[in-house]
Amino acid sequence: MVEKIELTNLSKEELTAEILKIGEKSFRAKQLWQWIYYRGVTDFDKMSNLSLALREKLAERYTITRPKIVDEQLSVDKTHKWLLEFSDGQRVEMVYIPEKDRGAVCISTQVGCAMGCKFCHTGSQKLTRNLTTSEIVGQFMVARDVYNEWPSPTDEVRYLSNIVVMGMGEPLNNLDNVVKALNIITDNEGIALSRRRVTMSTSGIAPKIVEAMQRTGVRLAISLHAPNNTIRSQIMPINDKFKIEKIMKACAEYQKGDHSRYITFEYLLLKGINDSEDCAKELVNLLKKHKLRALFNLIPFNPWPGCDFMPSERKTVEAFSRILEEAGFAAPIRVARGQDILAACGQLKSKKNA
Ligand code: SAH
Ligand code: SF4
Protein backbone atom coordinates (compact mmCIF):
# COMPACT_ATOMS: atom_id res chain seq x y z
CA MET A 1 0.00 0.00 0.00
CA VAL A 2 1.20 3.49 -0.81
CA GLU A 3 1.56 5.75 2.15
CA LYS A 4 -1.12 8.39 2.48
CA ILE A 5 -0.16 12.01 1.93
CA GLU A 6 -0.64 14.40 4.83
CA LEU A 7 -2.56 17.33 3.36
CA THR A 8 -1.43 19.85 5.95
CA ASN A 9 2.11 19.41 4.69
CA LEU A 10 1.13 20.97 1.37
CA SER A 11 1.12 24.62 0.39
CA LYS A 12 -1.98 25.87 -1.40
CA GLU A 13 -0.23 25.45 -4.76
CA GLU A 14 0.89 21.94 -3.87
CA LEU A 15 -2.59 20.99 -2.76
CA THR A 16 -4.05 22.23 -6.04
CA ALA A 17 -1.45 20.28 -8.03
CA GLU A 18 -2.24 17.17 -6.01
CA ILE A 19 -5.99 17.46 -6.65
CA LEU A 20 -5.42 17.95 -10.37
CA LYS A 21 -3.18 14.89 -10.34
CA ILE A 22 -6.02 12.67 -9.11
CA GLY A 23 -8.24 13.94 -11.92
CA GLU A 24 -10.32 16.51 -10.04
CA LYS A 25 -10.91 20.15 -10.90
CA SER A 26 -8.95 22.89 -9.14
CA PHE A 27 -12.00 24.34 -7.38
CA ARG A 28 -12.12 21.10 -5.38
CA ALA A 29 -8.76 22.05 -3.91
CA LYS A 30 -10.27 25.37 -2.88
CA GLN A 31 -13.16 23.63 -1.16
CA LEU A 32 -10.81 21.25 0.55
CA TRP A 33 -8.64 24.15 1.73
CA GLN A 34 -11.66 25.81 3.29
CA TRP A 35 -12.75 22.66 5.05
CA ILE A 36 -9.32 22.12 6.49
CA TYR A 37 -8.24 25.66 7.35
CA TYR A 38 -11.42 27.70 7.57
CA ARG A 39 -13.67 25.14 9.25
CA GLY A 40 -11.04 23.03 10.98
CA VAL A 41 -12.50 19.74 9.77
CA THR A 42 -10.29 16.64 9.99
CA ASP A 43 -12.77 14.07 8.74
CA PHE A 44 -13.41 13.82 4.99
CA ASP A 45 -16.90 12.52 5.71
CA LYS A 46 -17.90 15.88 7.15
CA MET A 47 -17.10 17.72 3.91
CA SER A 48 -20.72 17.99 2.89
CA ASN A 49 -20.30 19.76 -0.44
CA LEU A 50 -18.13 16.93 -1.80
CA SER A 51 -19.73 13.84 -3.25
CA LEU A 52 -19.51 10.57 -1.37
CA ALA A 53 -17.35 9.14 -4.14
CA LEU A 54 -14.89 12.02 -3.87
CA ARG A 55 -14.81 11.86 -0.07
CA GLU A 56 -13.93 8.18 -0.30
CA LYS A 57 -11.28 8.85 -2.89
CA LEU A 58 -9.71 11.50 -0.67
CA ALA A 59 -9.82 9.30 2.43
CA GLU A 60 -8.03 6.53 0.56
CA ARG A 61 -5.14 8.78 -0.39
CA TYR A 62 -4.85 11.48 2.22
CA THR A 63 -4.81 12.26 5.90
CA ILE A 64 -5.47 15.42 7.93
CA THR A 65 -3.65 14.96 11.20
CA ARG A 66 -3.44 16.92 14.45
CA PRO A 67 -0.72 16.50 17.02
CA LYS A 68 -2.06 14.60 20.05
CA ILE A 69 -2.42 16.34 23.41
CA VAL A 70 -0.66 14.11 25.95
CA ASP A 71 -0.58 16.49 28.89
CA GLU A 72 -1.94 19.90 29.69
CA GLN A 73 -1.90 22.39 32.48
CA LEU A 74 -3.86 25.51 33.21
CA SER A 75 -2.26 28.18 35.34
CA VAL A 76 -4.10 30.27 37.92
CA ASP A 77 -3.47 33.21 35.55
CA LYS A 78 -5.15 31.22 32.72
CA THR A 79 -1.93 30.54 30.86
CA HIS A 80 -2.56 27.22 29.17
CA LYS A 81 0.16 24.78 28.34
CA TRP A 82 0.04 21.58 26.33
CA LEU A 83 2.48 18.81 25.70
CA LEU A 84 1.90 17.63 22.14
CA GLU A 85 2.95 14.34 20.58
CA PHE A 86 3.52 13.63 16.90
CA SER A 87 3.06 10.33 15.09
CA ASP A 88 6.63 9.17 15.77
CA GLY A 89 6.24 9.79 19.49
CA GLN A 90 8.34 12.99 19.55
CA ARG A 91 6.99 15.75 21.72
CA VAL A 92 7.01 19.53 21.92
CA GLU A 93 5.15 21.99 24.01
CA MET A 94 2.85 24.85 23.19
CA VAL A 95 1.65 27.66 25.41
CA TYR A 96 -1.35 29.97 25.15
CA ILE A 97 -0.96 33.28 26.94
CA PRO A 98 -4.33 35.02 27.18
CA GLU A 99 -4.86 38.75 27.57
CA LYS A 100 -8.29 40.25 28.19
CA ASP A 101 -9.91 39.73 24.79
CA ARG A 102 -7.05 38.28 22.77
CA GLY A 103 -3.97 36.19 23.29
CA ALA A 104 -0.84 34.69 21.81
CA VAL A 105 -0.10 31.07 21.06
CA CYS A 106 3.57 30.21 21.37
CA ILE A 107 4.53 27.49 18.91
CA SER A 108 7.60 25.31 18.47
CA THR A 109 9.58 24.62 15.31
CA GLN A 110 11.98 21.85 16.31
CA VAL A 111 12.21 19.00 18.77
CA GLY A 112 15.03 20.33 20.95
CA CYS A 113 17.49 22.91 19.65
CA ALA A 114 21.08 22.80 18.46
CA MET A 115 21.92 26.34 19.57
CA GLY A 116 22.63 25.36 23.16
CA CYS A 117 21.97 28.76 24.77
CA LYS A 118 23.11 28.40 28.37
CA PHE A 119 20.02 29.93 29.94
CA CYS A 120 17.52 27.92 27.90
CA HIS A 121 16.11 24.62 28.95
CA THR A 122 15.38 23.59 25.36
CA GLY A 123 19.01 24.35 24.58
CA SER A 124 20.10 21.72 27.07
CA GLN A 125 18.02 19.10 25.23
CA LYS A 126 19.97 18.87 21.92
CA LEU A 127 18.31 18.84 18.54
CA THR A 128 16.32 15.71 17.74
CA ARG A 129 14.67 16.77 14.52
CA ASN A 130 12.93 19.54 12.61
CA LEU A 131 9.15 19.75 12.74
CA THR A 132 7.30 19.28 9.48
CA THR A 133 5.02 21.96 8.05
CA SER A 134 2.05 19.90 9.19
CA GLU A 135 3.37 19.69 12.74
CA ILE A 136 3.90 23.45 12.93
CA VAL A 137 0.48 24.37 11.50
CA GLY A 138 -1.08 21.54 13.52
CA GLN A 139 -0.05 23.13 16.79
CA PHE A 140 -2.10 26.24 16.16
CA MET A 141 -4.98 24.12 14.88
CA VAL A 142 -5.00 22.14 18.14
CA ALA A 143 -5.25 25.41 20.06
CA ARG A 144 -8.20 26.39 17.87
CA ASP A 145 -9.84 23.03 18.53
CA VAL A 146 -9.48 23.54 22.27
CA TYR A 147 -10.78 27.11 22.24
CA ASN A 148 -13.49 26.34 19.70
CA GLU A 149 -12.33 28.93 17.20
CA TRP A 150 -13.69 27.26 14.10
CA PRO A 151 -14.73 28.44 11.60
CA SER A 152 -12.09 31.18 11.52
CA PRO A 153 -13.57 34.10 13.47
CA THR A 154 -13.09 37.66 12.24
CA ASP A 155 -10.01 39.49 13.39
CA GLU A 156 -11.75 41.49 16.12
CA VAL A 157 -13.20 38.61 18.08
CA ARG A 158 -10.38 36.15 18.31
CA TYR A 159 -9.05 34.84 21.57
CA LEU A 160 -6.24 33.15 19.68
CA SER A 161 -5.31 36.40 17.98
CA ASN A 162 -1.53 36.20 17.76
CA ILE A 163 1.25 33.72 17.22
CA VAL A 164 4.74 33.95 18.58
CA VAL A 165 7.25 31.55 17.10
CA MET A 166 9.12 31.38 20.39
CA GLY A 167 8.65 27.83 21.55
CA MET A 168 11.21 25.09 21.23
CA GLY A 169 13.73 25.33 18.43
CA GLU A 170 15.41 27.86 16.17
CA PRO A 171 12.94 28.71 13.36
CA LEU A 172 15.60 29.91 10.93
CA ASN A 173 17.26 26.50 11.08
CA ASN A 174 14.05 24.93 9.79
CA LEU A 175 13.20 27.73 7.44
CA ASP A 176 11.47 25.95 4.56
CA ASN A 177 8.95 24.25 6.80
CA VAL A 178 8.42 27.36 8.92
CA VAL A 179 7.84 29.54 5.83
CA LYS A 180 5.35 27.09 4.42
CA ALA A 181 3.54 26.80 7.75
CA LEU A 182 3.33 30.56 8.28
CA ASN A 183 2.07 31.08 4.76
CA ILE A 184 -0.68 28.53 5.40
CA ILE A 185 -1.59 30.13 8.72
CA THR A 186 -1.80 33.63 7.21
CA ASP A 187 -3.68 32.61 4.07
CA ASN A 188 -6.87 34.65 3.79
CA GLU A 189 -9.13 31.80 2.79
CA GLY A 190 -8.21 29.66 5.75
CA ILE A 191 -6.93 30.35 9.24
CA ALA A 192 -6.48 33.94 8.07
CA LEU A 193 -4.27 35.29 10.79
CA SER A 194 -2.80 38.63 9.78
CA ARG A 195 0.96 38.64 9.20
CA ARG A 196 1.20 41.59 11.58
CA ARG A 197 0.00 39.31 14.35
CA VAL A 198 2.73 36.75 13.91
CA THR A 199 6.18 37.30 15.41
CA MET A 200 9.12 35.08 14.66
CA SER A 201 12.01 35.05 17.08
CA THR A 202 15.53 34.06 16.17
CA SER A 203 18.73 33.66 18.12
CA GLY A 204 20.38 35.55 15.26
CA ILE A 205 21.14 33.32 12.29
CA ALA A 206 22.34 36.43 10.45
CA PRO A 207 22.56 35.18 6.84
CA LYS A 208 18.97 33.94 6.92
CA ILE A 209 17.23 36.90 8.56
CA VAL A 210 16.41 38.94 5.44
CA GLU A 211 15.33 35.87 3.50
CA ALA A 212 13.14 34.65 6.35
CA MET A 213 11.37 38.00 6.60
CA GLN A 214 10.92 38.31 2.85
CA ARG A 215 9.41 34.87 2.61
CA THR A 216 7.01 35.26 5.54
CA GLY A 217 6.20 38.96 5.96
CA VAL A 218 5.74 38.46 9.70
CA ARG A 219 7.31 40.51 12.48
CA LEU A 220 10.88 40.00 13.55
CA ALA A 221 12.20 39.47 17.05
CA ILE A 222 15.86 38.97 17.86
CA SER A 223 17.01 37.22 21.01
CA LEU A 224 19.85 39.59 21.75
CA HIS A 225 20.39 39.18 25.50
CA ALA A 226 23.73 41.03 25.56
CA PRO A 227 25.16 44.37 24.41
CA ASN A 228 28.54 43.03 23.28
CA ASN A 229 30.15 39.89 21.87
CA THR A 230 32.06 39.00 25.03
CA ILE A 231 28.93 38.58 27.12
CA ARG A 232 26.82 37.21 24.29
CA SER A 233 29.30 34.47 23.41
CA GLN A 234 29.39 33.42 27.06
CA ILE A 235 25.66 32.71 27.12
CA MET A 236 24.93 31.99 23.44
CA PRO A 237 27.51 29.79 21.68
CA ILE A 238 25.99 30.64 18.28
CA ASN A 239 27.40 34.15 18.74
CA ASP A 240 30.87 32.82 17.89
CA LYS A 241 29.55 32.13 14.41
CA PHE A 242 27.26 35.12 13.89
CA LYS A 243 28.57 38.12 15.81
CA ILE A 244 26.38 41.01 16.91
CA GLU A 245 27.63 43.27 14.08
CA LYS A 246 26.43 40.74 11.50
CA ILE A 247 23.01 40.50 13.11
CA MET A 248 22.69 44.29 13.28
CA LYS A 249 23.61 44.60 9.62
CA ALA A 250 20.99 42.04 8.65
CA CYS A 251 18.42 43.94 10.74
CA ALA A 252 19.32 47.24 9.06
CA GLU A 253 19.04 45.59 5.67
CA TYR A 254 15.60 44.25 6.57
CA GLN A 255 14.41 47.72 7.65
CA LYS A 256 15.83 49.53 4.65
CA GLY A 257 13.12 51.57 2.98
CA ASP A 258 10.25 50.37 5.13
CA HIS A 259 9.58 52.39 8.24
CA SER A 260 6.86 50.11 9.53
CA ARG A 261 9.28 47.32 10.19
CA TYR A 262 9.96 47.60 13.88
CA ILE A 263 12.18 44.96 15.40
CA THR A 264 11.72 43.60 18.89
CA PHE A 265 14.92 42.85 20.73
CA GLU A 266 14.37 40.33 23.45
CA TYR A 267 16.64 40.76 26.40
CA LEU A 268 16.72 38.19 29.14
CA LEU A 269 18.05 39.67 32.39
CA LEU A 270 20.53 37.42 34.16
CA LYS A 271 21.79 38.54 37.54
CA GLY A 272 25.35 39.84 37.44
CA ILE A 273 25.84 38.79 33.81
CA ASN A 274 24.09 41.26 31.52
CA ASP A 275 21.98 43.47 33.78
CA SER A 276 24.27 46.38 34.74
CA GLU A 277 23.56 49.99 33.90
CA ASP A 278 26.67 49.96 31.72
CA CYS A 279 25.16 47.10 29.73
CA ALA A 280 21.98 49.15 29.21
CA LYS A 281 24.00 52.14 28.00
CA GLU A 282 26.08 49.98 25.69
CA LEU A 283 22.87 48.57 24.27
CA VAL A 284 21.53 52.04 23.53
CA ASN A 285 24.75 52.91 21.70
CA LEU A 286 24.63 49.71 19.72
CA LEU A 287 21.14 50.34 18.39
CA LYS A 288 21.81 54.01 17.72
CA LYS A 289 24.96 53.19 15.83
CA HIS A 290 23.02 50.94 13.49
CA LYS A 291 20.05 53.31 13.31
CA LEU A 292 17.56 50.58 14.02
CA ARG A 293 13.90 51.22 14.73
CA ALA A 294 13.40 48.90 17.60
CA LEU A 295 11.81 48.20 20.90
CA PHE A 296 12.94 45.99 23.71
CA ASN A 297 11.19 43.24 25.51
CA LEU A 298 12.85 42.77 28.88
CA ILE A 299 12.35 39.21 30.05
CA PRO A 300 12.76 38.14 33.65
CA PHE A 301 14.81 34.93 33.68
CA ASN A 302 12.80 31.86 34.56
CA PRO A 303 15.16 29.52 36.44
CA TRP A 304 15.10 25.77 35.92
CA PRO A 305 16.68 22.93 37.91
CA GLY A 306 20.37 22.64 37.08
CA CYS A 307 20.86 26.06 35.50
CA ASP A 308 23.64 28.34 36.73
CA PHE A 309 21.83 31.65 36.43
CA MET A 310 19.70 33.74 38.74
CA PRO A 311 17.01 36.25 37.81
CA SER A 312 17.94 39.91 38.26
CA GLU A 313 16.51 41.89 41.13
CA ARG A 314 13.34 43.78 40.31
CA LYS A 315 14.96 47.16 40.92
CA THR A 316 17.86 46.27 38.61
CA VAL A 317 15.40 45.37 35.85
CA GLU A 318 13.55 48.63 36.40
CA ALA A 319 16.74 50.67 36.24
CA PHE A 320 17.72 48.85 33.05
CA SER A 321 14.36 49.60 31.49
CA ARG A 322 14.56 53.27 32.50
CA ILE A 323 17.89 53.78 30.72
CA LEU A 324 16.50 52.33 27.50
CA GLU A 325 13.31 54.35 27.75
CA GLU A 326 15.16 57.59 28.44
CA ALA A 327 17.11 56.95 25.25
CA GLY A 328 13.81 56.74 23.37
CA PHE A 329 13.27 52.98 23.16
CA ALA A 330 10.15 51.33 24.49
CA ALA A 331 11.36 48.73 26.97
CA PRO A 332 8.48 47.05 28.77
CA ILE A 333 9.27 44.40 31.34
CA ARG A 334 7.49 41.23 30.40
CA VAL A 335 5.25 39.86 33.12
CA ALA A 336 6.19 36.30 33.96
CA ARG A 337 3.18 34.14 33.17
CA GLY A 338 2.22 30.64 34.14
CA GLN A 339 4.96 30.25 36.72
CA ASP A 340 2.93 27.72 38.70
CA ILE A 341 2.83 25.41 35.67
CA LEU A 342 6.47 25.74 34.55
CA ALA A 343 5.42 27.66 31.47
CA ALA A 344 8.97 28.66 30.51
CA CYS A 345 10.33 27.28 27.32
CA GLY A 346 11.12 23.55 27.46
CA GLN A 347 10.15 22.87 31.03
CA LEU A 348 7.03 20.72 30.80
CA LYS A 349 8.63 18.36 28.35
CA SER A 350 11.66 17.85 30.54
CA LYS A 351 9.60 17.19 33.61
CA LYS A 352 7.80 14.40 31.75
CA ASN A 353 11.03 12.89 30.49
CA ALA A 354 12.66 12.88 33.90
N1 SAH B 1 15.11 29.94 19.21
C1 SAH B 1 14.44 31.18 19.08
C2 SAH B 1 13.00 31.11 19.46
C3 SAH B 1 12.65 30.30 20.66
S1 SAH B 1 13.33 30.81 22.22
C4 SAH B 1 15.13 32.24 19.87
O1 SAH B 1 16.00 31.92 20.67
O2 SAH B 1 14.81 33.40 19.66
C5 SAH B 1 12.23 32.13 22.62
C6 SAH B 1 12.63 33.00 23.82
O3 SAH B 1 12.58 32.26 25.04
C7 SAH B 1 14.03 33.53 23.68
O4 SAH B 1 14.04 34.94 23.60
C8 SAH B 1 14.68 33.05 24.93
O5 SAH B 1 15.54 33.98 25.41
C9 SAH B 1 13.55 32.80 25.89
N2 SAH B 1 13.96 31.93 26.97
C10 SAH B 1 14.72 30.83 26.92
N3 SAH B 1 14.96 30.33 28.14
C11 SAH B 1 14.34 31.15 29.02
C12 SAH B 1 14.23 31.16 30.45
N4 SAH B 1 14.79 30.22 31.20
N5 SAH B 1 13.52 32.16 31.03
C13 SAH B 1 12.92 33.10 30.26
N6 SAH B 1 13.00 33.15 28.92
C14 SAH B 1 13.70 32.18 28.30
FE1 SF4 C 1 17.37 27.36 20.94
FE2 SF4 C 1 16.13 29.72 21.30
FE3 SF4 C 1 16.59 28.07 23.38
FE4 SF4 C 1 18.63 29.33 22.22
S1 SF4 C 1 16.89 30.30 23.31
S2 SF4 C 1 18.58 27.16 22.81
S3 SF4 C 1 18.01 29.32 20.10
S4 SF4 C 1 15.27 27.67 21.64
Side-chain angles (χ1 to χ4, degrees), residues 112-117 119-124 167-170 202-203 223 225 236 345:
C113 183
M115 301 295 97
C117 302
F119 49 79
C120 173
H121 209 252
T122 305
S124 69
M168 305 172 72
E170 169 48 56
T202 175
S203 58
S223 291
H225 309 324
M236 299 179 76
C345 186

Side-chain angles (χ1 to χ4, degrees), residues 238-305:
I238 187 64
N239 194 68
D240 289 340
K241 202 160 167 198
F242 306 118
K243 298 256 172 0
I244 292 181
E245 289 293 314
K246 272 201 177 142
I247 301 172
M248 295 293 135
K249 283 202 175 113
C251 289
E253 167 87 22
Y254 158 68
Q255 285 191 329
K256 216 165 49 190
D258 187 343
H259 285 264
S260 67
R261 291 179 175 173
Y262 258 74
I263 299 172
T264 303
F265 285 97
E266 291 156 280
Y267 198 100
L268 191 64
L269 285 135
L270 303 165
K271 189 175 185 174
I273 307 279
N274 64 357
D275 62 352
S276 69
E277 298 198 358
D278 282 347
C279 281
K281 288 175 192 157
E282 206 177 340
L283 204 50
V284 168
N285 290 338
L286 178 70
L287 290 221
K288 290 209 162 151
K289 180 175 154 203
H290 290 275
K291 300 194 173 57
L292 294 175
R293 291 180 299 285
L295 56 101
F296 287 92
N297 200 352
L298 301 181
I299 311 169
F301 173 62
N302 213 333
W304 38 275

